[in-house]
Amino acid sequence: MDFKQQILQGIPAELPSLKSYDTTVSHAPKRKDILTQEEKKLALHNALRYFKPEWHTVLAPEFAKELHDYGRIYMYRFRPDYKMYARPIDEYPAKTKQAAAIMLMIQNNLDYAVAQHPHELITYGGNGAVFQNWAQYLLTMQYLATMTEEQTLVLYSGHPLGLFPSHKDAPRVVVTNGMMIPNYSKPDDWECFNALGVTQYGQMTAGSYMYIGPQGIVHGTTITVLNASRMQQGEIAGKLFITAGLGGMSGAQPKAGNIAGVVSITAEVNPAATYKRHEQGWVDEVHSNLEELFAKVKEAQTQKIARSFAYDGNIVDLWEYCAKHNIHIDLGSDQTSLHNPWAGGYYPVGYSFEESNKMMAEEPEKFRAAVQESLRRHVAAVNKLAEKGMYFFDYGNAFLLESSRAGADILKPDGKFKYPSYVQDIMGPMCFDYGFGPFRWVCTSGKPEDLDMTDKIAMEVLQKMSENSPQEIQQQMCDNITWIRGAKENRLVVGSQARILYADAEGRIKIATAFNQAIAAGKISAPIVLGRDHHDVSGTDSPFRETSNIYDGSSFTADMAIHNVIGDSFRGATWVSIHNGGGVGWGEVINGGFGMVLDGSEDAGRRLKSMLFWDVNNGISRRAWARNEEAIFAIKRAMEENPGLRVTLPNFAEDNMVDGLIKISFPFC
Ligand SMILES: NC(=O)c1ccc[n+]([C@@H]2O[C@H](COP(=O)([O-])OP(=O)(O)OC[C@H]3O[C@@H](n4cnc5c(N)ncnc54)[C@H](O)[C@@H]3O)[C@@H](O)[C@H]2O)c1
């Protein structure tokens, strides 16, 4: 059977042969054994409902063993044998290009060069799933291959509920991931309901098919490190940045450090991750001896060259060494996976990588205590260095939150965190509030020439726009032009022919319009998929990350993310998704995104204008209502240019008047 036939058959008519456990790929850690005996029976029933009863006697013991050995039922036997990658769009069997483009994006998220644990259908972040099992993948691909533009496919946490009649302007796919009744959204609820096979952790771009490899994060990390450096005194060259994590996303840190022009050290406890990044050229040197490492670092700082170093070891050992030897650090952060602290996201100091892996599966309570003790030491060392002038920021991995839960010395007397999140100081006021966010696109031809053409078009659009941009956003425009000019040279593509480019609403609409026209004119050879990271202006409500610079108390609400996805879906998105969890953890965030296929048609031109305008200005309006000055500036500007937009603006009350009144009315509080 060729590739197209295999897709069209969905679950094969003949039972495929059993697959051996492939030790050449990275596998997800064994998940917690959390289900009761009764629940384990339910998990088996749930898994078997995908298959005809004649197969149950063979599959039931096999799935029971998977549940026992890995804590989940992945249905490894049904993993297809064809190569998993973003094929050129014409290679997919489909009745509509929109569905074919979605198939391409799904396969990219499962590409071995892209995905973290491809056989467990995990794209990044340790638990960011595209599907829960291979039956869901096969059925979804089959539905996509057969659907028309008069249908919408509904996906519940990877499970394809089915195709429903709709219309050509409706999304082709609507995805929800991890939507729970709020009281059932604790980390162990994910362990339990995911093991039952009824929900999954979609992260952000894993379960929404919008992951574009580490490139996505390099741009955002470059912006963050660059602006964090600008906020410190003195020139950027020679500044030292220390952080942790060389995994899926965190692996972008050394490359971003180099692009921003600093000297960086990234600690990584898993040698496989360290050497992978080194081989890929994403980190310049690896060291496991701290004295040797710092001799090299000093040299790079003195010569003022941008250079990235990996420390093959635990970040806590690195911080404690710096604190003990009084080493001056300019910038500090952390990107271990603390959104997932008990299942492999954070490795405690004092234990080898292997010891930790064994402990988390066999002695979870002891492991939990070790992680918390490690976090207390971690914070103590960071505090010492911060007292001597280091600027430390949380980089969106729940470091501050989990450290506070571990009882680390991370809170100020007023109960707030000692350190800002990168969104509070940098990304929020400098980017999100003005509407700048991680816009991206994928060339479905798979041709690098098409990507080159899009880079050229995007750069020309931004250069033209920057001639008339207000002073307030000149720096962002300038940084984004520099980024897109160097994007090809920085060799960022892994997997699909994709590009990320921070842009505001006007930039996104103008770039997308120019792409659509270039497709119509034959300058770009195939449709383009537009999208963005959920980590954006409007896509995500997350009180300790994306909305951490919202100070009116509404950062614990999720209206914006929900409205965003609803609004996108009736303004022309090709697919939409809304997730619980992503970035900072299950129950801690609601985030959504979209995909939009541009095929050069007038319909696509109409849809992109309507949807992209809403997709950015929804968030700016909310940020303006929260009294963020930059967002008020941006939304007033948008209203001047668009008579149809009328947004409720806040009035400002005098602090003195409010303070005095509260003192009089509540004297004993
Ligand atoms: N700020 C952002 O824009 C942003 C974007 C994406 C992801 N994130 C968050 O960043 C975190 C990392 O994401 P990822 O995709 O790289 O995850 P990942 O799990 O692939 O990588 C984390 C790495 O940290 C390493 N690590 C864990 N504990 C360590 C320790 N004590 N010392 C040294 N290394 C240690 C792990 O071995 C792993 O390789 C996640 O929490 C994610 O949600 C933030």
Side-chain angles (χ1 to χ4, degrees), residues 465-637:
M465 277 174 60
S466 77
E467 288 165 16
N468 298 313
S469 295
Q471 185 55 36
E472 285 81 350
I473 60 169
Q474 275 294 341
Q475 182 74 66
Q476 287 87 329
M477 296 299 289
C478 179
D479 287 347
N480 296 332
I481 291 168
T482 307
W483 167 264
I484 194 75
R485 190 180 288 126
K488 185 177 182 181
E489 202 180 304
N490 283 322
R491 292 186 293 121
L492 298 157
V493 169
V494 179
S496 59
Q497 290 295 318
R499 184 66 74 225
I500 179 165
L501 174 62
Y502 268 62
D504 63 1
E506 187 188 353
R508 298 182 207 206
I509 292 169
K510 286 192 167 153
I511 291 168
T513 304
F515 288 171
N516 201 43
Q517 287 164 351
I519 296 166
K523 289 186 197 158
I524 293 171
S525 70
I528 283 180
V529 172
L530 298 182
R532 57 164 173 74
D533 194 354
H534 295 193
H535 170 268
D536 196 4
V537 182
S538 322
T540 296
D541 277 299
S542 180
F544 302 107
R545 209 168 93 166
E546 284 78 353
T547 41
S548 60
N549 73 323
I550 300 281
Y551 301 106
D552 69 351
S554 72
S555 56
F556 292 89
T557 65
D559 297 300
M560 177 179 74
I562 299 294
H563 268 287
N564 209 61
V565 86
I566 294 173
D568 283 356
S569 71
F570 66 77
R571 287 182 172 86
T574 309
W575 73 100
V576 290
S577 64
I578 185 84
H579 302 184
N580 165 19
V584 289
W586 182 253
E588 306 285 358
V589 47
I590 298 291
N591 61 91
F594 74 88
M596 172 175 264
V597 177
L598 301 181
D599 57 4
S601 65
E602 278 179 26
D603 277 344
R606 169 176 55 82
R607 289 180 193 133
L608 78 84
K609 287 194 182 83
S610 168
M611 201 216 72
L612 291 175
F613 184 81
W614 159 255
D615 189 62
V616 180
N617 281 302
N618 167 42
I620 301 180
S621 307
R622 183 268 174 102
R623 289 166 185 276
W625 183 240
R627 295 184 285 264
N628 291 9
E629 303 274 5
E630 294 82 1
I632 294 172
F633 168 85
I635 206 66
K636 280 186 178 166
R637 200 171 154 240

Side-chain angles (χ1 to χ4, degrees), residues 248-250 268-269 314-315 335 337 339 347 395 422 545 583:
M249 291 288 184
S250 47
E268 170 56 63
V269 79
N314 198 298
I315 182 65
Q335 224 181 339
S337 273
H339 72 275
Y347 285 81
Y395 195 39
Y422 70 114
R545 209 168 93 166

Side-chain angles (χ1 to χ4, degrees), residues 308-384:
S308 56
F309 298 87
Y311 170 57
D312 178 18
N314 198 298
I315 182 65
V316 180
D317 287 326
L318 178 62
W319 282 129
E320 288 182 344
Y321 180 90
C322 297
K324 186 171 162 205
H325 292 85
N326 262 323
I327 297 170
H328 176 77
I329 321 291
D330 298 283
L331 310 171
S333 195
D334 188 89
Q335 224 181 339
T336 56
S337 273
L338 272 164
H339 72 275
N340 178 30
W342 322 125
Y346 181 90
Y347 285 81
V349 65
Y351 298 90
S352 72
F353 184 63
E354 292 72 25
E355 283 167 348
S356 287
N357 280 336
K358 197 162 178 286
M359 196 184 359
M360 80 181 77
E362 293 172 7
E363 298 170 284
E365 286 315 314
K366 187 174 165 202
F367 182 73
R368 197 184 171 96
V371 165
Q372 295 203 320
E373 169 58 19
S374 184
L375 281 171
R376 289 192 287 271
R377 276 174 61 180
H378 196 148
V379 170
V382 164
N383 286 348
K384 277 194 192 138

